[in-house]
Amino acid sequence: MDARGQSVKCGKLDAPRAGSVAQALLDWYDTHARSLPWRMPPGANRADPYRVWLSEVMLQQTTVAAVIPYFERFTTRWADVAALAAAPEDEVMAAWAGLGYYSRARRLVECARVVAARGGFPEDEAGLRALPGLGAYTAAAVAAIAFGQRAVVVDANVERVVARLFDIEQPLPAARAAIREAADAITPDVRSGDFAQAMMDLGAGICSVRAPQCLICPLRSDCRGQVRAEQLPVKPPKKAKAQRIGHAWWIERDGAVWLIRRPASGMLGGMRALPDDGWNARADGSAQAPLAGAWREVGRVAHVFTHVALDLAVMVSQGGDNPSGEGEWWPLDRLDEAGLPTLYARAAALAMAGRG
DNA sequence: CAAGCGTGGAT
DNA sequence: TATCCAAGCTT
């Protein structure tokens, strides 16, 4: 980058004045932004790597508001990476229930054990990138925020801010190379962790997807895309969502319900669940019950995943059922500790209310 | 590299 | 109500 504030060449891009962009953003950050309460204050060169890593993994595709209570519970229960490494995987999975993208939880444990075994986190971006669950974004964010290293941190916020700042009209995902190059050009050598957090706070609060507030943006004098900010970055069209119908089975005996654990891969992989029919019922309602017995429908859960919309009928056993295979009788008075993902937590709530 | 993978809040 | 999409990673 060019700390003198001169225009710099960035590949084919004529970049805004790189040094002035970084300085204006950091000035704004020092006086206005602080979205994550567990972060070190602006200007702190380093932060606790365990907390930075944990928060960054939780924040992958997940809103700050959703993460905060989980982060508090995790750090209370497992105060450092050694404690998390020593935790049984199923307890961590259960604690993650409701946060989504459950492969993160299994990789979180795997990563904690690798880090504990080697005596601490790697302090360079390449070493971090090799850890389970750390991709390009998270490795760069931890390197910059936890270890004070210069790293080019690019998430969806940074993509949006940079696409607008440099007026990059090429659609995603093809634009990623140019966006990364441009982000590199404006990333300062010092305080790159604060810079990254400032870019993300700017993207979340001012340079937002809809209705960006260009009039109060600290970068407006350097921004080339503000006349069409809302159109940038250009995104690819989405695919239609598959519709599915399924049935979940509520089998209760002696104050306990029969729960299974889902296969490690696939939807809700590795999580406890109600037994179900695999969500492949025919739309005419003629599902084939895998279990013997009589059933009564007590309600339906309409649940929308990233690429599937599911209509799940909750069926309560009227007797004659015969649970088979792997599973466990889970006490109803501790059902909230089972770590059911949201879909099955809702189904269970319907069953508890309607089981008569 | 496109597809698969959760959930909840905002509009 | 429908749609978008958020501090992405893995295969």
Side-chain angles (χ1 to χ4, degrees):
Chain A
M1 63 152 288
D2 184 343
R4 296 158 303 179
Q6 301 302 305
S7 179
V8 295
K9 284 294 180 185
C10 175
K12 289 180 226 155
L13 294 167
D14 180 20
R17 298 167 299 149
S20 76
V21 167
Q23 195 56 57
L25 190 68
L26 287 168
D27 288 346
W28 170 80
Y29 186 64
D30 288 341
T31 53
H32 295 276
R34 187 117 26 114
S35 66
L36 301 182
W38 56 81
R39 285 275 171 73
M40 297 289 281
N45 195 35
R46 290 178 172 226
D48 176 1
Y50 170 66
R51 296 168 71 85
V52 173
W53 160 72
L54 178 60
S55 65
E56 292 298 345
V57 173
M58 287 182 165
L59 285 162
Q60 290 166 4
Q61 295 286 284
T62 308
T63 58
V64 171
V67 163
I68 285 175
Y70 284 85
F71 181 83
E72 299 299 341
R73 283 197 294 273
F74 268 66
T75 52
T76 298
R77 185 167 175 184
W78 299 294
D80 52 39
V81 70
L84 188 59
E89 182 188 275
D90 65 310
E91 288 187 15
V92 178
M93 298 291 288
W96 197 274
L99 200 54
Y101 286 138
Y102 297 101
S103 66
R104 290 184 294 173
R106 185 169 28 259
R107 295 194 183 107
L108 192 78
V109 176
E110 187 184 352
C111 181
R113 291 176 180 168
V114 169
V115 169
R118 72 186 293 286
F121 284 89
E123 300 198 6
D124 62 296
E125 188 176 351
L128 290 161
R129 178 68 182 80
L131 295 172
L134 280 79
Y137 162 76
T138 307
V142 175
I145 297 166
F147 296 115
Q149 306 213 1
R150 184 184 186 280
V152 181
V153 180
V154 182
D155 76 325
N157 287 301
V158 176
E159 279 185 352
R160 184 170 58 255
V161 171
V162 167
R164 292 171 179 177
L165 191 59
F166 291 76
D167 194 19
I168 297 173
E169 295 182 271
Q170 186 182 24
L172 294 174
R176 296 237 153 85
I179 288 173
R180 182 181 178 80
E181 192 175 9
D184 195 347
I186 60 172
T187 299
D189 293 325
V190 297
R191 297 190 66 188
S192 83
D194 283 347
F195 177 81
Q197 292 182 68
M199 287 286 278
M200 295 187 282
D201 278 353
L202 188 77
I206 290 181
C207 195
S208 46
V209 176
R210 286 178 287 234
Q213 300 177 262
C214 299
L215 290 179
I216 62 169
C217 179
L219 305 185
R220 76 184 177 288
S221 64
D222 286 310
C223 183
R224 308 197 164 169
Q226 54 191 296
V227 295
R228 50 188 154 190
E230 280 186 88
Q231 334 302 337
L232 297 176
V234 179
K235 296 185 179 173
K238 303 192 191 329
K239 298 175 53 178
K241 196 159 295 196
Q243 309 286 325
R244 290 225 208 161
I245 295 174
H247 298 77
W249 317 106
W250 181 268
I251 306 164
E252 189 175 326
R253 189 170 296 169
D254 300 329
V257 62
W258 183 252
L259 298 182
I260 56 100
R261 189 172 293 280
R262 294 178 62 82
S265 64
M267 297 289 296
L268 311 175
M271 300 299 285
R272 277 201 191 90
L274 297 176
D276 63 29
D277 62 356
W279 313 345
N280 287 314
R282 284 171 295 195
D284 62 9
S286 59
Q288 63 285 28
L291 306 173
W295 302 89
R296 181 170 59 89
E297 178 179 323
V298 295
R300 292 171 166 273
V301 180
H303 197 76
V304 180
F305 298 100
T306 302
H307 62 289
V308 174
L310 173 64
D311 180 11
L312 186 72
V314 183
M315 313 299 290
V316 172
S317 171
Q318 302 297 98
D321 53 85
N322 180 27
S324 59
E326 295 287 317
E328 58 192 322
W329 291 106
W330 193 273
L332 290 180
D333 57 7
R334 295 196 299 113
L335 195 53
D336 56 340
E337 300 167 32
L340 294 177
T342 300
L343 169 68
Y344 295 107
R346 288 183 178 155
L350 280 178
M352 291 289 284
R355 69 199 204 274

